[in-house]
Amino acid sequence: GQNIDQPTEMTATEGAIVQINCTYQTSGFNGLFWYQQHAGEAPTFLSYNVLDGLEEKGRFSSFLSRSKGYSYLLLKELQMKDSASYLCAVRDSNYQLIWGAGTKLIIKP
Amino acid sequence: ETGVTQTPRHLVMGMTNKKSLKCEQHLGHNAMYWYKQSAKKPLELMFVYSLEERVENNSVPSRFSPECPNSSHLFLHLHTLQPEDSALYLCASSQVLDSSYEQYFGPGTRLTVT
């Protein structure tokens, strides 16, 4: 079966750095997405990785290792508004998106 | 504001009711999606439309019936639902199907079946 694993919940301190991991087992691979979802709101796109390596976008970076079936989202200089759920999704060989259950990130002052 | 709107935002319905969820995208996209989001579970893809034609139906019960009258509008018709159907229903759109383009989500309809 196809599976996406990510931690259920993480806690971090304002101003710090946090890394949210995602491991996947899918039938084929055609890219990995990270989305942010604030409580009661729509998921919004953060990043897309299809080749190995690090993609940086301001305070957020996303890393991919296809051989290990592994990705992480790195958030720097954490702000209170970063408290949200972070969803990892992989596009399989049929171009269908397989979603993780999301990681709830709690930021403490 | 992502360019995808959904109405209503909240809906409470009995098991014998019939209701419809509406989604509209203002992005000129060709693909639209219905997802079900339950607490602490992955997003479940329900239906996919590309250029107004249904291309995917992931074994969804017949009490859910989608309709795509044009590329900007998507409906989900509901009838004789069960309490376990209570969830957040999300609509999304993307520029084209089967590509690296990201999906844009609406704010969702919070459905409670009593």
Side-chain angles (χ1 to χ4, degrees):
Chain A
Q2 309 209 85
N3 195 50
I4 309 282
D5 283 318
Q6 47 181 138
T8 304
E9 188 173 298
M10 298 181 71
T11 302
T13 305
E14 192 177 14
I17 299 174
V18 71
Q19 177 175 311
I20 303 174
N21 296 325
C22 170
T23 57
Y24 62 89
Q25 293 170 312
T26 56
S27 54
F29 178 84
N30 278 301
L32 185 145
F33 295 83
W34 283 97
Y35 283 80
Q36 179 190 60
Q37 185 178 23
H38 285 101
E41 297 184 13
T44 54
F45 169 76
L46 286 178
S47 67
Y48 171 71
N49 294 69
V50 67
L51 299 176
D52 290 352
L54 189 68
E55 294 280 343
E56 296 186 76
K57 263 189 186 182
R59 293 189 300 114
F60 292 8
S61 303
S62 56
F63 172 83
L64 174 67
S65 169
R66 288 172 296 169
S67 62
K68 295 181 180 178
Y70 168 71
S71 172
Y72 67 72
L73 181 69
L74 191 71
L75 292 75
K76 302 176 185 175
E77 300 168 19
L78 285 170
Q79 302 175 10
M80 297 304 291
K81 67 179 182 179
D82 297 329
S83 292
S85 288
Y86 291 85
L87 312 179
C88 174
V90 173
R91 199 181 295 282
D92 68 10
S93 57
N94 294 320
Y95 286 90
Q96 180 165 338
L97 268 182
I98 311 300
W99 293 84
T103 299
K104 182 178 180 180
L105 178 64
I106 300 168
I107 310 296
K108 295 187 174 179
Chain B
E1 184 62 46
T2 63
V4 181
T5 58
Q6 289 186 245
T7 55
R9 293 293 308 275
H10 300 273
L11 178 63
V12 179
M13 61 186 287
M15 290 189 283
T16 58
N17 291 161
K18 285 186 181 181
K19 296 285 184 183
S20 295
L21 310 185
K22 179 182 175 182
C23 174
E24 184 173 359
Q25 57 99 356
H26 313 272
L27 302 167
H29 287 170
N30 289 327
M32 296 187 76
Y33 313 78
W34 276 118
Y35 285 94
K36 176 183 179 182
Q37 187 175 36
S38 303
K40 299 185 179 180
K41 289 187 177 179
L43 282 173
E44 297 175 46
L45 180 64
M46 300 176 72
F47 301 103
V48 181
Y49 278 82
S50 178
L51 297 170
E52 300 148 49
E53 285 194 22
R54 189 195 302 183
V55 296
E56 185 123 16
N57 174 358
N58 287 334
S59 302
V60 178
S62 59
R63 57 186 183 269
F64 295 91
S65 175
E67 179 190 359
C68 188
N70 55 62
S71 59
S72 298
H73 293 86
L74 188 64
F75 293 90
L76 187 63
H77 303 299
L78 316 171
H79 65 97
T80 59
L81 294 190
Q82 304 298 310
E84 61 263 30
D85 297 323
S86 297
L88 182 68
Y89 288 84
L90 291 165
C91 173
S93 70
S94 63
Q95 195 161 342
V96 294
L97 192 65
D98 298 346
S99 71
S100 63
Y101 291 107
E102 67 269 29
Q103 294 180 9
Y104 290 77
F105 285 83
T109 295
R110 173 68 62 186
L111 173 67
T112 303
V113 181
T114 60

